[in-house]
PDB file of all heavy atoms in Angstrom:
ATOM      1  N   LEU A  29     -12.853  20.851 -41.631  1.00  0.00           N
ATOM      2  CA  LEU A  29     -11.909  19.754 -41.565  1.00  0.00           C
ATOM      3  C   LEU A  29     -10.961  19.989 -40.449  1.00  0.00           C
ATOM      4  O   LEU A  29     -10.620  19.058 -39.743  1.00  0.00           O
ATOM      5  CB  LEU A  29     -11.202  19.581 -42.956  1.00  0.00           C
ATOM      6  CG  LEU A  29     -10.057  18.499 -43.000  1.00  0.00           C
ATOM      7  CD1 LEU A  29     -10.596  17.163 -42.533  1.00  0.00           C
ATOM      8  CD2 LEU A  29      -9.377  18.493 -44.263  1.00  0.00           C
ATOM      9  N   VAL A  39     -10.334  13.309 -28.684  1.00  0.00           N
ATOM     10  CA  VAL A  39     -11.031  12.107 -28.166  1.00  0.00           C
ATOM     11  C   VAL A  39     -10.002  10.972 -28.038  1.00  0.00           C
ATOM     12  O   VAL A  39      -9.957  10.217 -27.094  1.00  0.00           O
ATOM     13  CB  VAL A  39     -12.138  11.695 -29.045  1.00  0.00           C
ATOM     14  CG1 VAL A  39     -12.784  10.388 -28.581  1.00  0.00           C
ATOM     15  CG2 VAL A  39     -13.258  12.770 -29.023  1.00  0.00           C
ATOM     16  N   ALA A  43      -9.098   9.135 -24.618  1.00  0.00           N
ATOM     17  CA  ALA A  43      -9.568   7.761 -24.450  1.00  0.00           C
ATOM     18  C   ALA A  43      -8.349   6.791 -24.367  1.00  0.00           C
ATOM     19  O   ALA A  43      -8.405   5.807 -23.659  1.00  0.00           O
ATOM     20  CB  ALA A  43     -10.450   7.374 -25.623  1.00  0.00           C
ATOM     21  N   LEU A  44      -7.263   7.120 -25.106  1.00  0.00           N
ATOM     22  CA  LEU A  44      -6.075   6.133 -25.229  1.00  0.00           C
ATOM     23  C   LEU A  44      -4.884   6.695 -24.482  1.00  0.00           C
ATOM     24  O   LEU A  44      -4.015   5.886 -24.189  1.00  0.00           O
ATOM     25  CB  LEU A  44      -5.857   5.916 -26.678  1.00  0.00           C
ATOM     26  CG  LEU A  44      -7.013   5.373 -27.522  1.00  0.00           C
ATOM     27  CD1 LEU A  44      -6.522   5.247 -28.970  1.00  0.00           C
ATOM     28  CD2 LEU A  44      -7.432   3.968 -27.040  1.00  0.00           C
ATOM     29  N   THR A  65       1.117  23.563 -56.556  1.00  0.00           N
ATOM     30  CA  THR A  65       1.479  24.798 -57.250  1.00  0.00           C
ATOM     31  C   THR A  65       0.141  25.443 -57.742  1.00  0.00           C
ATOM     32  O   THR A  65      -0.978  24.863 -57.683  1.00  0.00           O
ATOM     33  CB  THR A  65       2.389  24.573 -58.419  1.00  0.00           C
ATOM     34  OG1 THR A  65       1.752  23.859 -59.432  1.00  0.00           O
ATOM     35  CG2 THR A  65       3.640  23.891 -57.981  1.00  0.00           C
ATOM     36  N   THR A  68      -1.552  23.228 -60.174  1.00  0.00           N
ATOM     37  CA  THR A  68      -2.170  21.861 -59.715  1.00  0.00           C
ATOM     38  C   THR A  68      -3.655  21.826 -59.896  1.00  0.00           C
ATOM     39  O   THR A  68      -4.412  22.681 -59.339  1.00  0.00           O
ATOM     40  CB  THR A  68      -1.726  21.583 -58.361  1.00  0.00           C
ATOM     41  OG1 THR A  68      -0.356  21.697 -58.134  1.00  0.00           O
ATOM     42  CG2 THR A  68      -2.201  20.122 -57.966  1.00  0.00           C
ATOM     43  N   ASP A  70      -7.539  20.829 -59.389  1.00  0.00           N
ATOM     44  CA  ASP A  70      -8.367  20.552 -58.216  1.00  0.00           C
ATOM     45  C   ASP A  70      -8.553  19.086 -57.858  1.00  0.00           C
ATOM     46  O   ASP A  70      -8.656  18.742 -56.718  1.00  0.00           O
ATOM     47  CB  ASP A  70      -9.658  21.249 -58.302  1.00  0.00           C
ATOM     48  CG  ASP A  70      -9.604  22.822 -58.255  1.00  0.00           C
ATOM     49  OD1 ASP A  70      -8.571  23.304 -57.760  1.00  0.00           O
ATOM     50  OD2 ASP A  70     -10.581  23.510 -58.747  1.00  0.00           O
ATOM     51  N   ILE A  81      -8.764  11.813 -45.120  1.00  0.00           N
ATOM     52  CA  ILE A  81      -9.866  11.604 -44.273  1.00  0.00           C
ATOM     53  C   ILE A  81     -10.208  10.101 -44.119  1.00  0.00           C
ATOM     54  O   ILE A  81     -10.555   9.596 -43.054  1.00  0.00           O
ATOM     55  CB  ILE A  81     -11.139  12.374 -44.774  1.00  0.00           C
ATOM     56  CG1 ILE A  81     -10.844  13.809 -44.711  1.00  0.00           C
ATOM     57  CG2 ILE A  81     -12.374  11.981 -43.993  1.00  0.00           C
ATOM     58  CD1 ILE A  81     -11.890  14.728 -45.316  1.00  0.00           C
ATOM     59  N   GLU A 123     -18.089   4.514 -11.660  1.00  0.00           N
ATOM     60  CA  GLU A 123     -17.886   4.584 -13.068  1.00  0.00           C
ATOM     61  C   GLU A 123     -17.061   5.851 -13.468  1.00  0.00           C
ATOM     62  O   GLU A 123     -16.256   5.774 -14.424  1.00  0.00           O
ATOM     63  CB  GLU A 123     -19.292   4.575 -13.815  1.00  0.00           C
ATOM     64  CG  GLU A 123     -20.004   3.305 -13.715  1.00  0.00           C
ATOM     65  CD  GLU A 123     -21.396   3.381 -14.270  1.00  0.00           C
ATOM     66  OE1 GLU A 123     -21.912   4.499 -14.575  1.00  0.00           O
ATOM     67  OE2 GLU A 123     -22.119   2.308 -14.205  1.00  0.00           O
ATOM     68  N   ALA A 131     -16.026   7.073  -1.345  1.00  0.00           N
ATOM     69  CA  ALA A 131     -15.793   6.843   0.154  1.00  0.00           C
ATOM     70  C   ALA A 131     -16.776   7.628   1.012  1.00  0.00           C
ATOM     71  O   ALA A 131     -17.442   7.125   1.895  1.00  0.00           O
ATOM     72  CB  ALA A 131     -14.308   7.311   0.537  1.00  0.00           C
ATOM     73  N   THR A 134     -20.339   6.387   0.543  1.00  0.00           N
ATOM     74  CA  THR A 134     -20.604   5.137   1.233  1.00  0.00           C
ATOM     75  C   THR A 134     -20.822   5.375   2.686  1.00  0.00           C
ATOM     76  O   THR A 134     -21.762   4.738   3.291  1.00  0.00           O
ATOM     77  CB  THR A 134     -19.345   4.264   0.975  1.00  0.00           C
ATOM     78  OG1 THR A 134     -19.231   3.890  -0.340  1.00  0.00           O
ATOM     79  CG2 THR A 134     -19.407   2.975   1.775  1.00  0.00           C
ATOM     80  N   ILE A 136     -21.944   8.004   4.225  1.00  0.00           N
ATOM     81  CA  ILE A 136     -23.278   8.676   4.469  1.00  0.00           C
ATOM     82  C   ILE A 136     -24.416   7.620   4.244  1.00  0.00           C
ATOM     83  O   ILE A 136     -25.363   7.563   5.097  1.00  0.00           O
ATOM     84  CB  ILE A 136     -23.487   9.802   3.467  1.00  0.00           C
ATOM     85  CG1 ILE A 136     -22.507  10.942   3.775  1.00  0.00           C
ATOM     86  CG2 ILE A 136     -24.899  10.318   3.477  1.00  0.00           C
ATOM     87  CD1 ILE A 136     -22.341  11.996   2.780  1.00  0.00           C
ATOM     88  N   GLY A 154     -33.732  14.176  22.229  1.00  0.00           N
ATOM     89  CA  GLY A 154     -34.578  13.920  21.088  1.00  0.00           C
ATOM     90  C   GLY A 154     -33.953  14.102  19.769  1.00  0.00           C
ATOM     91  O   GLY A 154     -34.637  14.104  18.683  1.00  0.00           O
ATOM     92  N   LEU A 157     -29.412  10.022  16.699  1.00  0.00           N
ATOM     93  CA  LEU A 157     -27.995   9.546  17.037  1.00  0.00           C
ATOM     94  C   LEU A 157     -27.233   9.506  15.638  1.00  0.00           C
ATOM     95  O   LEU A 157     -27.721   9.255  14.632  1.00  0.00           O
ATOM     96  CB  LEU A 157     -28.098   8.175  17.603  1.00  0.00           C
ATOM     97  CG  LEU A 157     -28.592   8.090  19.012  1.00  0.00           C
ATOM     98  CD1 LEU A 157     -28.705   6.631  19.418  1.00  0.00           C
ATOM     99  CD2 LEU A 157     -27.678   8.800  20.035  1.00  0.00           C
ATOM    100  N   VAL A 166     -27.344   0.780  18.037  1.00  0.00           N
ATOM    101  CA  VAL A 166     -27.933  -0.223  17.101  1.00  0.00           C
ATOM    102  C   VAL A 166     -27.364  -1.577  17.310  1.00  0.00           C
ATOM    103  O   VAL A 166     -28.093  -2.594  17.302  1.00  0.00           O
ATOM    104  CB  VAL A 166     -27.800   0.234  15.684  1.00  0.00           C
ATOM    105  CG1 VAL A 166     -28.324  -0.830  14.657  1.00  0.00           C
ATOM    106  CG2 VAL A 166     -28.558   1.535  15.433  1.00  0.00           C
ATOM    107  N   THR A 190     -18.770   0.722  14.968  1.00  0.00           N
ATOM    108  CA  THR A 190     -18.267   1.953  15.582  1.00  0.00           C
ATOM    109  C   THR A 190     -16.940   2.410  14.990  1.00  0.00           C
ATOM    110  O   THR A 190     -16.694   3.532  14.867  1.00  0.00           O
ATOM    111  CB  THR A 190     -18.170   1.743  17.111  1.00  0.00           C
ATOM    112  OG1 THR A 190     -17.306   0.712  17.420  1.00  0.00           O
ATOM    113  CG2 THR A 190     -19.526   1.473  17.767  1.00  0.00           C
ATOM    114  N   VAL A 217     -13.482   1.140   1.715  1.00  0.00           N
ATOM    115  CA  VAL A 217     -14.538   1.760   2.489  1.00  0.00           C
ATOM    116  C   VAL A 217     -15.792   1.181   1.966  1.00  0.00           C
ATOM    117  O   VAL A 217     -16.742   0.733   2.743  1.00  0.00           O
ATOM    118  CB  VAL A 217     -14.579   3.244   2.338  1.00  0.00           C
ATOM    119  CG1 VAL A 217     -15.782   3.885   3.016  1.00  0.00           C
ATOM    120  CG2 VAL A 217     -13.267   3.859   2.999  1.00  0.00           C
ATOM    121  N   GLY A 245     -41.995   3.342   0.198  1.00  0.00           N
ATOM    122  CA  GLY A 245     -41.117   4.032  -0.874  1.00  0.00           C
ATOM    123  C   GLY A 245     -40.131   5.018  -0.274  1.00  0.00           C
ATOM    124  O   GLY A 245     -39.347   5.571  -0.986  1.00  0.00           O
ATOM    125  N   VAL A 247     -37.598   4.474   1.743  1.00  0.00           N
ATOM    126  CA  VAL A 247     -36.295   3.946   1.749  1.00  0.00           C
ATOM    127  C   VAL A 247     -35.977   3.516   0.297  1.00  0.00           C
ATOM    128  O   VAL A 247     -36.596   2.693  -0.240  1.00  0.00           O
ATOM    129  CB  VAL A 247     -36.169   2.720   2.671  1.00  0.00           C
ATOM    130  CG1 VAL A 247     -34.813   2.145   2.564  1.00  0.00           C
ATOM    131  CG2 VAL A 247     -36.533   3.081   4.094  1.00  0.00           C
TER     132      VAL A 247
END
Side-chain angles (χ1 to χ4, degrees):
L29 176 58
V39 174
L44 302 175
T65 67
T68 303
D70 290 340
I81 292 172
E123 290 170 355
T134 295
I136 291 169
L157 287 172
V166 173
T190 55
V217 175
V247 178

